[in-house]
mmCIF file of all heavy atoms in Angstrom:
data_model
loop_
_atom_site.group_PDB
_atom_site.id
_atom_site.type_symbol
_atom_site.label_atom_id
_atom_site.label_comp_id
_atom_site.label_asym_id
_atom_site.label_seq_id
_atom_site.Cartn_x
_atom_site.Cartn_y
_atom_site.Cartn_z
ATOM 1 N N MET N 564 37.854 84.452 98.325
ATOM 2 C CA MET N 564 38.586 85.238 97.331
ATOM 3 C C MET N 564 38.052 84.991 95.920
ATOM 4 O O MET N 564 38.009 85.904 95.091
ATOM 5 C CB MET N 564 40.075 84.890 97.388
ATOM 6 C CG MET N 564 40.770 85.314 98.681
ATOM 7 S SD MET N 564 42.441 84.620 98.778
ATOM 8 C CE MET N 564 43.154 85.235 97.265
ATOM 9 N N ALA N 565 37.634 83.749 95.652
ATOM 10 C CA ALA N 565 37.172 83.393 94.305
ATOM 11 C C ALA N 565 35.710 83.751 94.076
ATOM 12 O O ALA N 565 35.231 83.683 92.942
ATOM 13 C CB ALA N 565 37.379 81.902 94.069
ATOM 14 N N GLY N 566 34.987 84.086 95.137
ATOM 15 C CA GLY N 566 33.559 84.372 94.986
ATOM 16 C C GLY N 566 32.750 83.130 94.661
ATOM 17 O O GLY N 566 31.753 83.204 93.932
ATOM 18 N N ALA N 567 33.179 81.989 95.191
ATOM 19 C CA ALA N 567 32.479 80.721 94.955
ATOM 20 C C ALA N 567 31.832 80.257 96.253
ATOM 21 O O ALA N 567 32.339 80.508 97.345
ATOM 22 C CB ALA N 567 33.445 79.661 94.436
ATOM 23 N N ARG N 568 30.723 79.536 96.113
ATOM 24 C CA ARG N 568 30.001 79.068 97.295
ATOM 25 C C ARG N 568 30.403 77.669 97.714
ATOM 26 O O ARG N 568 30.184 77.287 98.856
ATOM 27 C CB ARG N 568 28.497 79.106 97.036
ATOM 28 C CG ARG N 568 27.930 80.500 96.855
ATOM 29 C CD ARG N 568 26.445 80.431 96.577
ATOM 30 N NE ARG N 568 26.163 79.664 95.376
ATOM 31 C CZ ARG N 568 24.942 79.337 94.967
ATOM 32 N NH1 ARG N 568 23.898 79.702 95.676
ATOM 33 N NH2 ARG N 568 24.773 78.646 93.849
ATOM 34 N N ASN N 569 30.945 76.869 96.798
ATOM 35 C CA ASN N 569 31.318 75.501 97.135
ATOM 36 C C ASN N 569 32.470 75.063 96.246
ATOM 37 O O ASN N 569 32.894 75.766 95.329
ATOM 38 C CB ASN N 569 30.119 74.559 96.985
ATOM 39 C CG ASN N 569 29.454 74.673 95.628
ATOM 40 O OD1 ASN N 569 30.097 74.525 94.591
ATOM 41 N ND2 ASN N 569 28.158 74.968 95.616
ATOM 42 N N ILE N 570 32.956 73.866 96.519
ATOM 43 C CA ILE N 570 34.142 73.355 95.824
ATOM 44 C C ILE N 570 33.877 73.140 94.339
ATOM 45 O O ILE N 570 34.766 73.322 93.506
ATOM 46 C CB ILE N 570 34.612 72.042 96.502
ATOM 47 C CG1 ILE N 570 35.906 71.547 95.851
ATOM 48 C CG2 ILE N 570 33.538 70.983 96.449
ATOM 49 C CD1 ILE N 570 36.508 70.333 96.548
ATOM 50 N N LYS N 571 32.653 72.777 93.989
ATOM 51 C CA LYS N 571 32.344 72.533 92.584
ATOM 52 C C LYS N 571 32.440 73.829 91.781
ATOM 53 O O LYS N 571 33.022 73.851 90.687
ATOM 54 C CB LYS N 571 30.947 71.929 92.464
ATOM 55 C CG LYS N 571 30.607 71.420 91.074
ATOM 56 C CD LYS N 571 29.275 70.699 91.070
ATOM 57 C CE LYS N 571 28.949 70.161 89.678
ATOM 58 N NZ LYS N 571 27.644 69.447 89.657
ATOM 59 N N GLU N 572 31.885 74.923 92.310
ATOM 60 C CA GLU N 572 31.975 76.213 91.623
ATOM 61 C C GLU N 572 33.426 76.691 91.557
ATOM 62 O O GLU N 572 33.865 77.239 90.547
ATOM 63 C CB GLU N 572 31.102 77.247 92.339
ATOM 64 C CG GLU N 572 29.608 76.978 92.245
ATOM 65 C CD GLU N 572 28.799 78.061 92.921
ATOM 66 O OE1 GLU N 572 29.404 79.073 93.357
ATOM 67 O OE2 GLU N 572 27.568 77.913 93.046
ATOM 68 N N TYR N 573 34.152 76.469 92.643
ATOM 69 C CA TYR N 573 35.549 76.915 92.684
ATOM 70 C C TYR N 573 36.384 76.188 91.629
ATOM 71 O O TYR N 573 37.122 76.814 90.857
ATOM 72 C CB TYR N 573 36.116 76.672 94.081
ATOM 73 C CG TYR N 573 37.581 77.029 94.214
ATOM 74 C CD1 TYR N 573 37.974 78.322 94.554
ATOM 75 C CD2 TYR N 573 38.575 76.080 93.991
ATOM 76 C CE1 TYR N 573 39.318 78.647 94.673
ATOM 77 C CE2 TYR N 573 39.918 76.393 94.100
ATOM 78 C CZ TYR N 573 40.284 77.680 94.447
ATOM 79 O OH TYR N 573 41.603 78.020 94.555
ATOM 80 N N ASN N 574 36.273 74.856 91.581
ATOM 81 C CA ASN N 574 37.061 74.095 90.604
ATOM 82 C C ASN N 574 36.657 74.427 89.173
ATOM 83 O O ASN N 574 37.499 74.425 88.270
ATOM 84 C CB ASN N 574 36.898 72.597 90.860
ATOM 85 C CG ASN N 574 37.680 72.121 92.068
ATOM 86 O OD1 ASN N 574 38.645 72.758 92.482
ATOM 87 N ND2 ASN N 574 37.262 71.012 92.651
ATOM 88 N N ASN N 575 35.384 74.716 88.965
ATOM 89 C CA ASN N 575 34.932 75.095 87.628
ATOM 90 C C ASN N 575 35.572 76.415 87.192
ATOM 91 O O ASN N 575 35.982 76.572 86.032
ATOM 92 C CB ASN N 575 33.405 75.206 87.615
ATOM 93 C CG ASN N 575 32.867 75.463 86.221
ATOM 94 O OD1 ASN N 575 33.162 74.729 85.284
ATOM 95 N ND2 ASN N 575 32.084 76.521 86.072
ATOM 96 N N LYS N 576 35.674 77.362 88.130
ATOM 97 C CA LYS N 576 36.345 78.628 87.802
ATOM 98 C C LYS N 576 37.837 78.413 87.562
ATOM 99 O O LYS N 576 38.430 79.033 86.674
ATOM 100 C CB LYS N 576 36.138 79.631 88.935
ATOM 101 C CG LYS N 576 34.723 80.187 89.021
ATOM 102 C CD LYS N 576 34.639 81.314 90.040
ATOM 103 C CE LYS N 576 33.251 81.950 90.040
ATOM 104 N NZ LYS N 576 33.162 83.102 90.954
ATOM 105 N N PHE N 577 38.423 77.503 88.330
ATOM 106 C CA PHE N 577 39.869 77.278 88.201
ATOM 107 C C PHE N 577 40.211 76.688 86.838
ATOM 108 O O PHE N 577 41.134 77.155 86.165
ATOM 109 C CB PHE N 577 40.346 76.355 89.324
ATOM 110 C CG PHE N 577 41.810 76.037 89.253
ATOM 111 C CD1 PHE N 577 42.757 76.923 89.741
ATOM 112 C CD2 PHE N 577 42.245 74.848 88.672
ATOM 113 C CE1 PHE N 577 44.111 76.627 89.659
ATOM 114 C CE2 PHE N 577 43.591 74.549 88.589
ATOM 115 C CZ PHE N 577 44.534 75.445 89.085
ATOM 116 N N VAL N 578 39.488 75.651 86.417
ATOM 117 C CA VAL N 578 39.819 74.991 85.152
ATOM 118 C C VAL N 578 39.485 75.866 83.955
ATOM 119 O O VAL N 578 39.971 75.614 82.851
ATOM 120 C CB VAL N 578 39.097 73.635 85.036
ATOM 121 C CG1 VAL N 578 39.513 72.706 86.156
ATOM 122 C CG2 VAL N 578 37.586 73.805 85.028
ATOM 123 N N ASN N 579 38.688 76.894 84.145
ATOM 124 C CA ASN N 579 38.339 77.802 83.043
ATOM 125 C C ASN N 579 39.098 79.123 83.121
ATOM 126 O O ASN N 579 38.660 80.138 82.559
ATOM 127 C CB ASN N 579 36.832 78.068 83.042
ATOM 128 C CG ASN N 579 36.029 76.880 82.565
ATOM 129 O OD1 ASN N 579 35.981 76.572 81.383
ATOM 130 N ND2 ASN N 579 35.395 76.186 83.499
ATOM 131 N N HIS N 580 40.242 79.127 83.810
ATOM 132 C CA HIS N 580 41.136 80.295 83.865
ATOM 133 C C HIS N 580 40.465 81.540 84.426
ATOM 134 O O HIS N 580 40.755 82.651 83.991
ATOM 135 C CB HIS N 580 41.700 80.606 82.471
ATOM 136 C CG HIS N 580 42.739 79.636 82.012
ATOM 137 N ND1 HIS N 580 43.907 79.396 82.696
ATOM 138 C CD2 HIS N 580 42.768 78.819 80.932
ATOM 139 C CE1 HIS N 580 44.625 78.496 82.052
ATOM 140 N NE2 HIS N 580 43.955 78.101 80.983
ATOM 141 N N LYS N 581 39.587 81.375 85.405
ATOM 142 C CA LYS N 581 38.930 82.531 86.012
ATOM 143 C C LYS N 581 39.559 82.923 87.348
ATOM 144 O O LYS N 581 39.098 83.846 87.999
ATOM 145 C CB LYS N 581 37.443 82.240 86.204
ATOM 146 C CG LYS N 581 36.684 82.053 84.896
ATOM 147 C CD LYS N 581 35.202 81.818 85.128
ATOM 148 C CE LYS N 581 34.455 81.657 83.813
ATOM 149 N NZ LYS N 581 33.005 81.403 84.027
ATOM 150 N N LEU N 582 40.611 82.197 87.764
ATOM 151 C CA LEU N 582 41.290 82.484 89.025
ATOM 152 C C LEU N 582 42.774 82.699 88.758
ATOM 153 O O LEU N 582 43.357 82.075 87.865
ATOM 154 C CB LEU N 582 41.108 81.325 90.019
ATOM 155 C CG LEU N 582 39.669 80.956 90.380
ATOM 156 C CD1 LEU N 582 39.655 79.768 91.323
ATOM 157 C CD2 LEU N 582 38.948 82.137 91.019
ATOM 158 N N LYS N 583 43.395 83.577 89.549
ATOM 159 C CA LYS N 583 44.812 83.873 89.395
ATOM 160 C C LYS N 583 45.640 82.913 90.242
ATOM 161 O O LYS N 583 45.434 82.812 91.456
ATOM 162 C CB LYS N 583 45.102 85.317 89.819
ATOM 163 C CG LYS N 583 44.425 86.366 88.953
ATOM 164 C CD LYS N 583 44.783 87.762 89.431
ATOM 165 C CE LYS N 583 44.114 88.834 88.567
ATOM 166 N NZ LYS N 583 44.447 90.199 89.047
ATOM 167 N N LEU N 584 46.571 82.233 89.588
ATOM 168 C CA LEU N 584 47.438 81.313 90.324
ATOM 169 C C LEU N 584 48.347 82.057 91.287
ATOM 170 O O LEU N 584 48.782 81.496 92.300
ATOM 171 C CB LEU N 584 48.272 80.485 89.347
ATOM 172 C CG LEU N 584 47.482 79.619 88.339
ATOM 173 C CD1 LEU N 584 48.453 78.834 87.465
ATOM 174 C CD2 LEU N 584 46.557 78.672 89.069
ATOM 175 N N THR N 585 48.637 83.316 91.001
ATOM 176 C CA THR N 585 49.509 84.103 91.885
ATOM 177 C C THR N 585 48.847 84.414 93.215
ATOM 178 O O THR N 585 49.526 84.787 94.168
ATOM 179 C CB THR N 585 49.891 85.416 91.185
ATOM 180 O OG1 THR N 585 48.682 86.111 90.782
ATOM 181 C CG2 THR N 585 50.747 85.153 89.961
#
Side-chain angles (χ1 to χ4, degrees):
M564 293 170 56
R568 294 179 300 173
N569 52 55
I570 184 174
K571 190 174 181 180
E572 292 182 6
Y573 177 88
N574 285 338
N575 186 54
K576 288 188 175 184
F577 178 81
V578 299
N579 287 285
H580 287 301
K581 295 182 179 179
L582 302 178
K583 296 181 180 179
L584 301 181
T585 55

